[in-house]
Amino acid sequence: MDTAVNTIDVSPDPLPFFRKQTIFLTGGTGCLGGCILYKLAMKLDTAKIYVLVRGSRERGISQLKDIMPNQTDDILATKKVQFVVGDITKKNFGIDPAVLTEMARTVTIVIHSAASISLTSPQQECVRNNCLPVLELATIASSFRKLSKFVFVSTAYVNHHLPDGVVEEKIYPAGDAEKLLSQIIQMGTVSKGLAGYSHPVPYTLVKNLTEQLLVSRNPSLLVLIARPTIIAPAISQPYPYYTRHGSCPGSNYVQRYMEAPDSGIFHVSSLHPKGTNIFDEVPVDIAANVILLHIMDGTTGVIHVGAGSYVRRTLAQLHQDIIDHFPRRSNSRCPEFRYLSDKRVAQGRYAEFLKIFGRDWNFSSAASQKFSALEGPLSIALGNHDAGKFMGERTRRLGDEVVRRRSSGVSAKL
Ligand SMILES: NC(=O)c1ccc[n+]([C@@H]2O[C@H](COP(=O)([O-])OP(=O)(O)OC[C@H]3O[C@@H](n4cnc5c(N)ncnc54)[C@H](OP(=O)(O)O)[C@@H]3O)[C@@H](O)[C@H]2O)c1
């Protein structure tokens, strides 16, 4: 499945498009989904947004207030949002049948951003949270009479079998996805993913499986698979450094490293003895804009949503930020980072856990290049934004947080 070449010109003004859309958004209380919800309600004048929330409407609003304390009331005041109580692990997402009937009549776009982003969940649990719900939603959406787009938020790290270098915006051929799914459901765990390659964590294996199954089982659905790389805090919307606690893996790493440094040894390829491989982070508001731009532009297929639409920074730059803002106790040494191609020397525990540190994938963002100079509410142009300063300030804030936690005797969960 390659990204379709668009025939539609990029519209400079997204409002006429979004004013006509009724959107069903899952994960709207999450880091990415919350930012998408903010954009849809506050910046794009979307006709209506059904937002799936767990538990109750009140819990949904409280989740939103946690991440957007000063914006939630404004979002609600637009009267564009209808909360839909449900759970993605249930049949029909547990949605009230009357609401589903109404949605079947009105929804034009589905954006599925809900997931469990835990990297430690076992495979079966990951399938329950991150694969079966996508397939269930495709079935639900098949009754949506006006549906023009089904967006599945996947991850850029689905292709662990690929060597370092360019990763294209496409589904790479793999093995029998149906067989693998039933093996995981029956046996609980499999040692290798599709095409017989191993994944460092179940999360990436299951997202890969889901992409394949979504497309193979739903040939007539107009699917956009958005693959973010590592989501970072927002540049400016809903507000600078917006995030949901724990949902920005780069920030989690920085904070945990500052709290409990390890040996600082990273296995890298011999091409990057100084850690010059890419550590691909994208601010969440850029990510939201890229996804919304492709929805507006009618893209189908796979898109990368990463530093290719922002600024490609290296692992060494991330580490320099840690060195610059490391909250030192008296007598403690500044952390040191070493990049070794000799894999006989054990790497540190963070590198060992999140095996992407040493990779140097260059996620193509060719499909988004045409948006780079666009102005307006979905602009991804950076103007005078300085990525180095922005990420450095992110790290300084995390360092301050570490100091605060230390003085109150709390430490981050590893
Ligand atoms: N964060 C990243 O760096 C990153 C990178 C690549 C791809 N992605 C993908 O991007 C998407 C959004 O990630 P995120 O960072 O926004 O995640 P997040 O902040 O953890 O948010 C997850 C969202 O999913 C909802 N959710 C989880 N389980 C649910 C269930 N059983 N029923 C209903 N809702 C449920 C959560 O609702 P509650 O508020 O009720 O918990 C929350 O709204 C995910 O598909 C993720 O895999 C993320």
Side-chain angles (χ1 to χ4, degrees):
M1 188 195 199
D2 291 333
T3 307
V5 177
N6 295 298
T7 47
I8 308 164
D9 283 338
V10 184
S11 160
D13 182 4
L15 294 185
F17 174 84
F18 283 97
R19 276 188 189 128
K20 286 189 236 140
Q21 307 306 324
T22 296
I23 295 188
F24 177 37
L25 173 66
T26 72
T29 53
C31 180
L32 176 62
C35 186
I36 291 176
L37 172 60
Y38 173 83
K39 305 279 319 185
L40 289 171
M42 302 297 298
K43 301 289 169 190
L44 297 173
D45 202 19
T46 308
K48 181 161 184 170
I49 312 143
Y50 292 98
V51 179
L52 188 80
V53 290
R54 281 196 268 195
S56 65
R57 180 179 188 274
E58 290 65 36
R59 180 181 176 275
I61 292 174
S62 150
Q63 294 284 95
L64 274 184
K65 286 191 169 167
D66 274 354
I67 55 173
M68 291 187 274
N70 301 322
Q71 291 75 20
T72 302
D73 285 343
D74 292 342
I75 292 174
L76 300 180
T78 63
K79 304 223 180 294
K80 291 172 179 301
V81 177
Q82 178 172 335
F83 292 101
V84 176
V85 177
D87 186 315
I88 59 169
T89 59
K90 294 189 176 154
K91 173 92 189 135
N92 279 334
F93 283 13
I95 298 173
D96 179 333
V99 177
L100 262 186
T101 306
E102 182 188 302
M103 284 165 56
R105 256 192 315 105
T106 55
V107 168
T108 56
I109 295 168
V110 167
I111 305 176
H112 181 57
S113 187
S116 161
I117 59 169
S118 163
L119 299 180
T120 51
S121 305
Q123 276 174 18
Q124 244 178 3
E125 191 181 320
C126 209
V127 161
R128 232 181 356 258
N129 286 311
N130 292 348
C131 176
L132 300 181
V134 181
L135 305 176
E136 176 70 6
L137 184 52
T139 305
I140 296 171
S142 65
S143 70
F144 291 1
R145 295 196 281 282
K146 295 185 180 164
L147 192 74
S148 65
K149 182 73 64 226
F150 183 100
V151 183
F152 163 48
V153 184
S154 181
T155 167
Y157 297 95
V158 285
N159 292 303
H160 272 271
H161 61 301
L162 295 182
D164 288 353
V166 176
V167 180
E168 303 289 356
E169 295 171 294
K170 67 177 193 180
I171 292 185
Y172 284 83
D176 187 340
E178 294 291 350
K179 190 167 155 204
L180 189 69
L181 176 65
S182 52
Q183 280 172 344
I184 298 177
I185 289 172
Q186 279 161 26
M187 303 193 305
T189 186
V190 294
S191 59
K192 300 235 162 74
L194 288 166
Y197 56 88
S198 329
H199 283 254
V201 289
Y203 173 82
T204 56
L205 180 153
V206 169
K207 286 274 193 185
N208 178 244
L209 182 61
T210 307
E211 286 188 359
Q212 311 267 350
L213 290 167
L214 174 63
V215 171
S216 64
R217 285 192 187 183
N218 302 281
S220 55
L221 201 60
L222 289 166
V223 175
L224 172 65
I225 296 178
R227 289 183 183 155
T229 53
I230 299 172
I231 289 177
I235 296 175
S236 62
Q237 288 182 356
Y239 55 88
Y241 296 98
Y242 156 90
T243 180
R244 166 162 151 156
H245 183 71
S247 297
C248 292
S251 304
N252 298 347
Y253 164 62
V254 167
Q255 186 167 345
R256 286 165 189 186
Y257 194 93
M258 285 174 157
E259 290 201 330
D262 66 6
S263 66
I265 295 175
F266 288 78
H267 290 161
V268 293
S269 93
S270 55
L271 294 174
H272 298 288
K274 295 190 171 156
T276 47
N277 50 314
I278 298 162
F279 187 79
D280 198 308
E281 287 191 276
V282 59
V284 63
D285 45 354
I286 298 278
N289 284 4
V290 168
I291 292 171
L292 293 166
L293 281 165
H294 279 287
I295 289 174
M296 177 180 85
D297 207 30
T299 309
T300 53
V302 177
I303 53 158
H304 285 141
V305 183
S309 298
Y310 178 57
V311 173
R312 288 193 170 95
R313 298 183 81 236
T314 66
L315 182 61
Q317 284 173 315
L318 177 78
H319 285 156
Q320 188 58 50
D321 287 346
I322 295 182
I323 292 168
D324 290 345
H325 300 287
F326 193 72
R328 291 178 63 183
R329 299 175 200 252
S330 55
N331 299 330
S332 71
R333 289 188 17 236
C334 212
E336 278 177 49
F337 296 97
R338 285 193 292 152
Y339 308 99
L340 302 181
S341 52
D342 179 356
K343 301 203 169 43
R344 287 169 305 179
V345 182
Q347 58 180 352
R349 67 180 186 286
Y350 298 112
E352 194 54 33
F353 175 65
L354 197 63
K355 292 216 170 50
I356 58 170
F357 283 111
R359 300 306 302 260
D360 190 31
W361 284 307
N362 177 349
F363 297 107
S364 165
S365 58
S368 305
Q369 291 313 309
K370 62 186 166 196
F371 302 133
S372 57
L374 207 67
E375 293 181 355
L378 292 179
S379 176
I380 55 170
L382 295 175
N384 56 8
H385 169 80
D386 180 332
K389 252 194 191 157
F390 174 75
M391 291 298 187
E393 170 62 12
R394 178 267 300 262
T395 308
R396 188 193 66 71
R397 290 172 179 229
L398 291 168
D400 287 352
E401 174 65 21
V402 171
V403 173
R404 259 196 308 277
R405 282 164 176 272
R406 264 186 207 154
S407 53
S408 60
V410 183
S411 66
K413 274 188 267 162
L414 280 181

